[in-house]
C-alpha cells in the first residue's frame, strides 16, 4: 500500500500555527555516487568512500565527552531524505512507531487541525497508510528497503548472528588498537596503520574458524595490504551496484557505529590542525574485508546475489513510502505540542509583560548558555531587579590548553570545534614542589599496584592472598561510608595546596597584545562593550560525580567537557589587568 503524502523539510522549519496549509512536495533526487561518463572505477569508489565517511558524526572520548548531533553527517539533506537514508542504511527511522501517533490522534493529543495542516485533504489517506505500516511492523516496508550487507544476509539464511559476532570482533580489536594506556593486556600493534594491524592479527586469529567460518584466515591473508585496494576488491567481488555503493559503505560503517565515530573524530581534529587522517577509511576497509571473508567462508554467493536483486526491486517503489506516514504524523505531533506550549506561555491578563530597562545595573553575571545555568539566571533575575545576566559560551572567549599540576599533557578548555590558541599551566602559589612531587610518586605507586592486580600472571596470585583484604572496602563503598575520588584533578594534593590551585598567567603565558585581543573579543561577543556594571562576575559550571564514566558529559561542553572555573578565572584575570584595560581604552572600550 502506498500513500500520496509527500514531505518537504519535515521537522526542519518551524510550523506556522496560523498557516492553513503547507506545501509538502519533495523531489527525492538521488544522492548516491555513480561513475560519471568515462570515470575510472577506482575514482568512483574513492568518491563513494569519501561520501560515506562524511556521513559519520564524530564522537569524542570519555575524558572530554561532549554532545554531538548524531545526524551531523546528514545535515546537507532535508530531514525526510535523511530519514530515508537512515532507514536504508540502519533500518531505523528518526521518529516514533506509527502506533504512537495513532494513539495520540485517538486521545486528542493530535487534533484534526494539526493533521489537516500537514496533509491537507489527504488526512484519511495518511491515517490509512499509518495503520497499514503499523500492521506490517518493523520488518515491513522499511526492512525491504534496507541496503543489504553480506553479514546480514548470511545471518538471516544460516540463523546464526554473524553480524553480532563480526561487530564484537571488530570492536575488540579497535578497543585494543585505540587504547591509550588504560588496558593492561594489549593485543593490537598500534605502531602500524589500523588496517595493517587488523590484517596481521586477523590472519592468525582462529576464533572465526572455531565459530564456523572456514578458511577465514586464508581469506584475510589474500587481501591487499593497502586499505583502499582492499575496499576496491570488496566492491568488485561483492558486485555492489554503483547507485547503491555509498549507501552500502555507509551501512558497513554504521555497524561499527561507536568506533566509526571515534575515527571520524580523529579526522575532524586532524582537519582542524591542517592535516589529514585516514583512520576512518582504514576502519571501513576492515568492515568490507569482513564482508569478503564471510562470503568466501560461507559460500553464500547465490544468497547474496538474490538479496541485491530484492533490494534493487524495492528501489523501484517510492522512497518515502517507507517513512512518509511516520514523518508526516511527527510533524503533526510537533505542531500540536507547539500549540499547547504557546497557550501555556501566554500571559493570564491582557496586558503586556515588560521588564525594566536599567541604564547601568548594580551587577552583571555572565552565565554559560547551558540549560543548567539558565535556571540560575532566571532565579537571579527574579529576586534581584537591579542585577542583569548575560548568556555566553562557557569558555568565555578564552580558548586555552590547560596543564594541571603533575600532569604531562594539557586539556583543551574550549569548544571541540576550536583549537586552543594559548597554553596556561596550573599553579598553587609558593612551596608546592614537594606536594606535586609527592602526588606524582603516589600516582606511580598506584599504577604499579594496578599493574600487579591486572597483570597476565600476577592477577591469579593476587586473588588468594590479597583479594579478601578488599572485602571491607567493598562493604564500605556499598553502604556509602567510603566513595571513589569525586574530583580526580585534585587527588593526591594536600588540602592547603588544592585550595590554592589556579591558572598561572605569569611568565608571559599569554602576551599582552593577545590578552587585549581576547578581552575585546569576549566583550564584543557578549555585546558588553559599554554600560558594564561596577561588578561583573563570570559564572562557570561543572559537576562532581562518583564512578561515572560519562562524568565529563555533565561538565561544560563549551570547555571541552571540563568545568568552566579555569576559563572564568582566566577571563576575569585578563579583564582585571590594568594594562589590558588601557589597551582596551585605546580601542574605544572602557572597563
Amino acid at each position: 500500500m502506498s500513500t500520496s503524502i509527500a514531505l518537504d523539510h519535515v521537522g526542519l522549519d518551524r510550523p506556522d500555527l496560523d498557516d492553513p496549509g503547507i506545501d509538502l512536495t519533495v523531489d527525492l533526487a538521488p544522492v548516491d555516487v555513480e561513475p560519471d561518463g568515462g570515470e575510472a572505477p577506482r575514482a568512483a569508489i574513492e568518491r563513494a568512500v569519501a561520501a560515506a565517511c562524511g556521513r559519520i558524526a564524530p564522537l569524542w572520548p570519555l575524558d572530554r565527552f561532549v554532545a554531538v548531533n548524531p545526524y551531523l553527517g546528514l545535515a546537507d539533506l532535508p530531514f525526510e531524505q535523511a530519514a530515508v537514508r537512515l532507514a536504508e542504511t540502519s533500518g531505523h527511522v528518526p521518529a516514533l512507531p506509527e502506533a504512537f501517533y495513532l494513539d495520540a490522534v485517538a486521545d486528542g493529543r493530535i487534533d484534526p487541525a494539526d493533521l489537516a495542516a500537514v496533509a491537507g485533504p489527504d488526512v484519511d489517506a495518511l491515517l490509512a497508510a499509518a495503520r497499514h505500516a503499523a500492521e506490517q511492523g518493523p520488518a515491513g516496508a522499511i526492512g525491504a528497503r534496507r541496503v543489504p550487507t553480506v553479514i546480514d544476509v548470511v545471518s538471516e539464511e544460516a540463523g546464526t548472528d554473524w553480524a553480532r559476532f563480526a561487530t564484537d570482533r571488530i570492536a575488540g580489536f579497535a578497543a585494543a588498537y585505540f587504547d591509550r594506556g588504560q588496558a593492561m593486556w594489549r593485543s593490537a600493534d598500534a605502531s602500524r596503520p589500523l588496517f595493517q594491524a587488523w590484517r596481521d592479527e586477523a590472519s592468525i586469529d582462529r576464533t572465526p574458524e572455531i565459530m564456523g567460518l572456514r578458511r577465514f584466515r586464508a581469506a584475510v591473508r589474500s587481501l591487499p595490504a593497502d586499505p583502499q585496494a582492499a575496499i576496491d576488491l570488496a566492491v568488485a567481488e561483492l558486485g555492489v551496484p554503483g547507485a547503491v555503493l555509498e549507501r552500502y559503505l555507509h551501512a558497513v560503517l554504521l555497524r561499527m557505529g561507536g568506533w566509526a565515530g571515534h575515527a571520524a573524530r580523529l579526522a575532524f581534529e586532524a582537519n582542524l590542525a591542517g592535516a589529514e587522517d585516514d583512520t576512518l577509511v582504514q576502519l571501513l576497509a576492515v568492515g568490507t574485508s569482513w564482508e569478503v571473508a564471510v562470503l568466501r567462508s560461507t559460500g553464500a554467493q547465490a544468497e547474496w546475489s538474490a538479496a541485491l536483486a530484492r533490494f534493487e526491486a524495492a528501489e523501484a517503489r517510492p522512497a518515502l513510502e517507507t517513512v512518509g506516514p511516520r514523518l508526516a504524523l511527527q510533524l503533526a505531533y510537533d505542531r500540536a505540542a507547539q500549540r499547547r506550549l504557546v497557550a501555556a506561555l501566554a500571559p493570564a491578563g491582557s496586558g503586556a509583560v515588560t521588564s525594566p530597562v536599567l541604564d547601568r545595573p548594580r551587577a552583571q553575571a555572565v552565565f554559560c548558555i547551558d540549560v543548567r545555568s539558565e535556571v540560575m539566571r532566571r532565579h537571579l533575575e527574579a529576586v534581584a531587579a537591579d542585577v542583569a545576566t548575560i548568556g555566553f559560551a562557557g569558555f568565555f572567549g578564552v580558548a586555552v590548553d590547560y596543564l594541571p599540576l603533575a600532569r604531562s599533557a594539557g586539556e583543551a578548555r574550549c569548544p571541540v570545534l576550536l583549537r586552543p590558541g594559548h597554553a596556561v599551566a596550573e599553579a598553587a602559589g609558593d612551596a608546592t614542589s614537594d606536594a606535586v612531587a609527592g602526588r606524582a610518586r603516589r600516582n606511580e605507586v598506584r599504577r604499579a599496584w594496578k599493574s600487579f592486580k591486572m597483570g597476565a600472571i600476577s592477577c591469579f596470585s593476587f586473588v588468594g592472598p590479597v583479594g579478601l583484604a578488599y572485602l571491607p572496602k567493598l562493604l564500605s563503598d556499598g553502604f556509602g561510608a567510603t566513595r571513589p575520588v569525586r574530583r580526580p584533578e585534585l587527588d593526591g594534593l594536600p588540602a592547603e595546596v588544592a585550595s590554592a590551585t589556579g591558572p598561572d598567567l605569569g611568565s608571559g603565558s599569554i602576551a599582552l597584545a593577545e590578552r587585549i585581543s581576547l578581552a575585546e573579543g569576549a566583550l564584543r561577543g557578549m555585546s558588553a562593550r559599554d554600560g558594564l556594571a561596577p561588578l561583573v562576575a563570570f559564572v562557570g559550571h561543572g559537576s562532581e560525580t562518583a564512578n561515572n564514566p560519562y562524568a565529563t558529559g555533565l561538565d561544560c561542553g563549551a570547555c571541552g567537557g571540563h568545568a568552566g572555573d579555569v576559563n572564568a578565572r582566566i577571563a576575569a584575570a585578563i579583564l582585571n589587568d590594568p594594562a589590558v584595560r588601557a589597551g582596551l581604552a585605546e580601542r574605544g572600550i572602557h572597563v
Side-chain angles (χ1 to χ4, degrees):
M1 180 177 182
S2 63
T3 176
S4 59
I5 301 298
L7 308 175
D8 184 22
H9 302 285
V10 172
L12 290 181
D13 299 328
R14 179 182 180 273
D16 184 355
L17 292 176
D18 297 325
D19 185 3
I22 300 176
D23 181 13
L24 296 177
T25 303
V26 64
D27 177 19
L28 276 174
V31 294
D32 300 295
V33 176
E34 294 190 30
D36 297 329
E39 183 180 32
R42 176 68 176 269
I45 295 174
E46 288 178 350
R47 287 199 303 125
V49 167
C53 291
R55 299 298 185 193
I56 303 300
L59 180 66
W60 267 259
L62 292 178
D63 64 342
R64 46 202 170 100
F65 187 78
V66 294
V68 178
N69 185 346
Y71 307 120
L72 180 63
L74 302 168
D76 62 312
L77 301 176
F79 183 73
E80 71 281 353
Q81 289 191 20
V84 170
R85 166 60 67 93
L86 289 175
E88 292 177 334
T89 54
S90 69
H92 301 290
V93 178
L96 294 168
E98 290 87 355
F100 172 85
Y101 303 110
L102 293 173
D103 289 342
V105 172
D107 62 22
R109 284 177 290 158
I110 300 177
D111 65 23
D114 301 319
L115 293 170
V118 172
D122 298 322
V123 171
D124 291 339
L126 171 60
L127 295 177
R131 294 188 189 99
H132 179 74
E135 292 170 359
Q136 284 187 303
I142 292 176
R145 284 193 64 93
R146 185 174 179 183
V147 176
T149 65
V150 170
I151 294 177
D152 289 333
V153 170
V154 172
S155 297
E156 184 177 354
E157 292 291 333
T160 301
D161 196 352
W162 291 118
R164 183 169 185 173
F165 174 75
T167 301
D168 287 347
R169 298 304 300 168
I170 295 173
F173 162 79
Y177 182 84
F178 289 116
D179 174 67
R180 293 298 178 265
Q182 293 297 315
M184 301 304 300
W185 299 5
R186 299 194 60 184
S187 60
D189 187 357
S191 64
R192 294 170 61 79
L194 183 145
F195 181 72
Q196 293 182 16
W198 171 82
R199 185 172 175 271
D200 292 345
E201 183 172 309
S203 64
I204 59 174
D205 182 11
R206 294 180 179 270
T207 307
E209 295 178 359
I210 293 174
M211 297 300 295
L213 294 176
R214 298 167 299 179
R215 301 182 299 278
F216 186 90
R217 289 176 298 154
V220 171
R221 284 193 291 267
S222 69
L223 296 172
D226 177 71
Q228 185 62 55
I231 295 174
D232 294 344
L233 181 146
V235 172
E237 185 166 332
L238 300 180
V240 182
V244 185
L245 183 53
E246 180 195 334
R247 287 174 288 170
Y248 166 77
L249 297 175
H250 187 192
V252 172
L253 285 172
L254 287 178
R255 179 184 292 124
M256 307 175 286
W259 290 114
H262 177 78
R265 192 264 308 174
L266 296 178
F268 179 89
E269 292 184 334
N271 184 61
L272 285 180
E276 294 183 358
D277 185 282
D278 69 341
T279 305
L280 185 55
V281 175
Q282 299 207 33
L283 186 63
L284 176 58
V286 172
T288 55
S289 296
W290 261 92
E291 292 273 287
V292 171
V294 168
L295 185 64
R296 293 181 182 178
S297 299
T298 59
Q301 283 82 359
E303 292 81 357
W304 169 242
S305 298
L308 282 177
R310 287 194 300 271
F311 177 77
E312 290 184 297
E315 285 259 273
R317 299 164 58 186
L320 275 172
E321 181 181 328
T322 59
V323 297
R326 195 181 300 187
L327 296 181
L329 289 171
Q330 177 62 46
L331 179 55
Y333 188 77
D334 289 341
R335 292 178 63 88
Q338 184 189 54
R339 175 172 43 78
R340 290 192 297 270
L341 178 61
V342 170
L345 295 178
S350 58
V353 178
T354 61
S355 298
V357 178
L358 303 176
D359 292 334
R360 191 184 188 203
R362 181 163 60 93
Q364 289 171 306
V366 184
F367 287 89
C368 178
I369 45 175
D370 181 279
V371 292
R372 292 160 290 191
S373 296
E374 289 297 321
V375 176
M376 291 184 283
R377 283 188 65 188
R378 185 172 70 251
H379 285 287
L380 178 59
E381 291 176 343
V383 300
D386 55 351
V387 175
T389 66
I390 300 173
F392 194 61
F395 76 117
F396 305 112
V398 181
V400 298
D401 187 76
Y402 189 62
L403 181 63
L405 287 170
R407 300 287 175 85
S408 59
E411 304 167 343
R413 300 293 184 107
C414 60
V416 296
L417 299 177
L418 303 178
R419 295 193 69 207
H422 309 279
V424 176
E426 184 181 39
D430 299 329
T432 61
S433 57
D434 290 343
V436 173
R439 176 188 188 180
R441 285 192 294 271
R442 281 189 290 273
N443 288 340
E444 289 296 330
V445 171
R446 288 173 181 169
R447 279 192 287 270
W449 181 244
K450 181 180 178 181
S451 298
F452 172 69
K453 288 193 300 180
M454 307 296 291
I457 298 177
S458 57
C459 66
F460 295 102
S461 58
F462 169 85
V463 175
V466 185
L468 288 177
Y470 272 76
L471 184 59
K473 181 69 165 59
L474 292 175
L475 293 174
S476 60
D477 282 354
F479 288 100
T482 57
R483 298 294 294 163
V485 176
R486 298 190 69 88
R487 298 191 62 186
E489 68 272 17
L490 301 179
D491 186 33
L493 291 177
E496 63 275 10
V497 175
S499 63
T501 58
D504 180 13
L505 293 180
S507 305
S509 58
I510 303 179
L512 176 60
E514 294 174 332
R515 277 183 280 173
I516 295 173
S517 296
L518 285 173
E520 180 184 16
L523 292 175
R524 289 184 183 275
M526 292 184 290
S527 299
R529 294 178 56 193
D530 48 33
L532 288 172
L535 173 65
V536 179
F538 291 104
V539 186
H541 69 95
S543 69
E544 292 184 10
T545 182
N547 198 27
N548 182 359
Y550 290 95
T552 56
L554 304 176
D555 282 329
C556 180
C559 298
H562 301 94
D565 55 340
V566 169
N567 299 77
R569 290 181 177 184
I570 294 175
I574 289 175
L575 284 164
N576 280 328
D577 186 346
V580 171
R581 294 189 177 187
L584 289 174
E586 295 177 358
R587 303 185 184 188
I589 302 175
H590 300 279
V591 178

